[in-house]
Every structure is written in structure tokens, then in C-alpha cells.
Amino acid sequence: MSASYILALDQGTTSSRSLIVDAHGQVLFQAQREFTQHYPEPGWVEHNPTEIWDSQWATIQEVLSKSTLDPSSFGGIGITNQRETTVVWDRTTGEPVHRAIVWQDRRTGDYCEKLKSNLTVKDDIQSRTGLMVDAYFSASKIRWILDHTEGARERANRGDLLFGTVDSWLIWKLSESTSHITDASNASRTMLFNIHTMEWDASLCTLFNIPMSMLPEVVSSSGQLAQATCFTHPIPITGIAGDQQAALFGQQCFRPGMVKNTYGTGCFMLMNTGDHAVQSTHALLTTVAWKIGDRVQFALEGSVFIGGAAVQWLRDELSFIENAAEIEALAHTVQDSGGVYVVPAFAGLGAPYWNPRARGSIFGVTRGTGRGHIARAILESIALQSMDVLECMKKDSAIAITEMRVDGGAAKNILLMQFQSDVLGIDVVRPQNTESTAMGAAYLAGLGCEIWTSMEELSASLAPQDTFKPSKDKSEMRNKISGWKRAVKAAAYWANDGMKEEKTSES
Ligand code: ADP
């Protein structure tokens, strides 16, 4: 049998998955395993790297046995992974020296705040890496492990320790400790990688006190990248990308100006900016989308902190609904939100407002306001926040945007998708195959092992999709948007104790 199947590994924050994809881009089999989340202190989140690998390996075994395919049937393995999560292990024994510090972990927040207070350093880091200084990225997490694990710094200085994001860690295991690599999209999330030279940045390694000998070799996102030798027949690893970039690829946003938005707990928006690393003036992130051959494509990235989480709030705290999907029927019990606006700033506001003090607020409530209005206003707030991020991308890139591709749990909500199209005034396109992230890994791997020979050929295999077109009167939407802006301003006024500010400026 020819090697025409792809094994896609999707290593996420709460579970590991494996999928078998055929040469038509169809998912034939899949398996999933959750693994333990460790919260040793408030704000800390850790994973056991061995458990990550064991769960991933178990899903690989499961799909292989379900499919009865032999390892020689696979042209390549594609890997996509939770980004930024940091693993440090011993080069000789392969033993992790500490549990993985997960992207959500805030333990290095104070250190990053201090670093950021030096504006020259802050700007320098942003211009080299495209990132805002934050505990989210790997650099401060590696530093923390070296500083807080007995003997780790000495071992690292001797060249005995290796660092990797989860892609590197899985490849180290799959290759039986022979390949220490990462792809450019994952490297660009470490805050140690210079996205202009496309190399590890020696001055940043010095700043964070991280020996460069720990860092993996940075390779392309697609091609013959390593060999997984742990099977009865070796399988080449031919695709690697961080989860959001993989979703951008899976949505086939191959050209500048193409955008995808993932509606999960939060919303993650990425826009392809082509060969140009656009530096944001709205505090968006600049990131490597992927490197294929020698060609690098970049993306702008922005996120909405509270997306589907606002629906969870309605379910868990207000008990308006029993499950997330019921919000749609509830929102349909009313014609519109009746002038109600919800600003779900439960954890502050992100782009373009950047107000960490802002808190959730509801405006425009009257005696006639009911659950349906609030439910509708919640859904609208998810779309309006996404609109704000897209506006920043448009301004930063000066690229016109003609459609937005969508995925994630809340993208199932038709009312939300239609409203999103109405407020943006552009088509919102939702593939029927919602596996954008895993498909991105599969596509990169399939290109890398030449199951597909070009991105154009891939586009021909694009799965069927639903398109939501703007259907509302423009002036109605303009009013809606101006009401939203007013609500956000009012929320910020309240959070900033506006009365006090007014008094100070009067005196
Ligand atoms: P994550 O990957 O962040 O866990 P998912 O893509 O699985 O997120 O989506 C789950 C989120 O989507 C939850 O916050 C949930 O409230 C929301 N959600 C799921 N289904 C719907 C729906 N039909 N309408 C609105 N929100 C939904």
C-alpha cells in the first residue's frame, strides 16, 4: 500500500488527540485522552510532560489499531500543539527536570512587569520578537525553571539540559531522543526568537539568562523534518505548527488579508499578512504563521479574553440555560437585545482598549428587559469584541478584509455568526469540518511528504462550508456599533472611578 495517509497529532491544553487523515483531506479515525491539570498555587498551571507523552502515545496506538493501518501506510506525521508551554529535560536521560509550565501560568508575572517597566527593553523585545512582554511566553518560564530547580542552572550551563515547547518534546520522544527541533511558528512564541533574522536572538538569551545550547534547532513548518523511529516502520515528521497558526493554515488562509477567528472560551483571531511582519500599534502580536521551504509568512494575532466564557457564565452563574447551545433558542425569544448591552470584561478589556481594571457591565436595562434580551446581548458582545480586534488588524496592516473564516465551539451558533457578518459587513465562512487545528497539521504534513504538491491543490480539497452574508441595514448596524462603543466607554469610566478623575481634573 502506498504511503498516502497522514497521522495528525493535536496536543492541546486539556487533551491529546490523534487523527488519521486520507489523501482527500477526510478524517477517518480519531482518538482523544484527557490528562491531569496541576494547580500547585493560585495562578500556577503545570502539566506532567511524561503524562502528555503517554496520553499522546495512547491515542496514536488507538487510531492505529482502529484503522488497522500499518505504519508504512503513513506518508507523514503532522504535529500541532498548545503553544508557549515550557518543558526542560535532561539531554542524556530524557527526564524532565520540572513539570511543564503551561501558557496560562502567571508565576513570572511580576518579573515580566518589572522587565516591561523599562520602556527601552519593552520596545526592544517587541521589535525583535513581535510579542508584548508577558508571562504567557516561554522565556520567563524557562528562566524560572532554571532558577528554582536544584542544580538546573549548572546543568544547563554545562549543556546537559534541553528546552522545548510541546512540539519539541513530542518529537524528542517520537525520534527516540535523536531530534531536538521546533518549527518557526512555535519558536516565535518563546520571546527568544528574532522574527526578522529568523534565528534565536543571542541578546534576548542573555537578558533572560538562558544558555543557547538548550534551544532546539528551528526548522520549517513543512518538509522532511525528522523521523519518528518509535514505530515498527519509521514515519517521517513532515508538518509542525503551533495550534493557532495550524488553525489559520487549516482554514486555508494562505493569502494576505485572510483571517480566521476561533470562538472558544476566548476568541483567537489571526490574520495572514504575507511576507511582511507587521508591527502593531494596537498591541496586537506579530507572529510567524509558518515557514514552508524558505518562504516565511507572518500573521497578526489578537484575542478576546471572554468569548464563549460569557455563555458559560450565563449557564453556571445565572442559570439562564442548562447547556451552552440553549443560548441560541433563548436569544431567539426576542427580536433584538432591546437596547441592552453586555460588556463581558470579567478579566479586563483587551485590544484595542487595554484596560485591566474594567469589569463586566450591563447597560440599558429597563422594566421590560428579560432573559432573552440579556442572552442576545451576550452573543452580540462576542461578535462586537471580535469586530474591535479585526478593526485593529485592518488599521495595522492597511489590508482590506473581505471575509472571515470561523471555527470553535461557539461558531456553531447561527445567530452569533449571522450577527458577526452583519456588524462586520463581510461574509463569515464556517467550514463544515470544524477540525481546523488538526487539519492544519495534516495539511502541512501532507505538503511536506508530497501527498499534496501545492497549496493550490490543497484549496481544491477544501471541505464544504456555510457562508453567512450581511443581511442588515447599514444604519441599523452603525447604531448598534456606536451603542457598543458607548457601553465600553461607560464600563471603563466605572472601572477607572471616573467621578474621582473628574473631580481631580476640576480641582
Ligand atoms: P475551548 O477550546 O476554549 O475549550 P471550544 O471550542 O470547545 O472552546 O468551545 C467551547 C466554548 O464555546 C464554551 O465557552 C461554550 O460556552 C461555547 N459554546 C459552545 N457551544 C455554543 C453555542 N452553541 N453557542 C454559544 N456558545 C457556545
Side-chain angles (χ1 to χ4, degrees), residues 262-266 307-312 315 324-328 379 382 407-413 416:
T262 300
Y263 298 79
T265 312
V311 179
Q312 291 169 339
R315 182 193 64 194
E326 281 176 18
I327 193 174
E328 187 156 4
L379 289 177
I382 300 174
D407 51 53
K412 289 192 213 110
N413 192 307
L416 169 60

Side-chain angles (χ1 to χ4, degrees), residues 320 327 329-334 336-337 369-378:
F320 275 24
I327 193 174
L330 182 57
H332 270 304
T333 59
V334 292
D336 54 40
S337 71
T369 299
R371 291 158 185 250
H373 297 107
I374 305 228
R376 200 156 183 133
I378 291 256

Side-chain angles (χ1 to χ4, degrees), residues 13-55:
T13 309
T14 55
S15 73
S16 302
R17 302 171 65 222
S18 293
L19 298 88
I20 294 180
V21 177
D22 70 11
H24 306 290
Q26 297 297 315
V27 177
L28 303 183
F29 301 95
Q30 52 178 305
Q32 180 164 12
R33 288 273 196 295
E34 291 197 357
F35 55 85
T36 318
Q37 308 288 315
H38 298 272
Y39 305 106
E41 291 193 28
W44 294 26
V45 190
E46 298 179 349
H47 294 159
N48 178 343
T50 307
E51 199 186 345
I52 290 182
W53 164 249
D54 288 344
S55 62

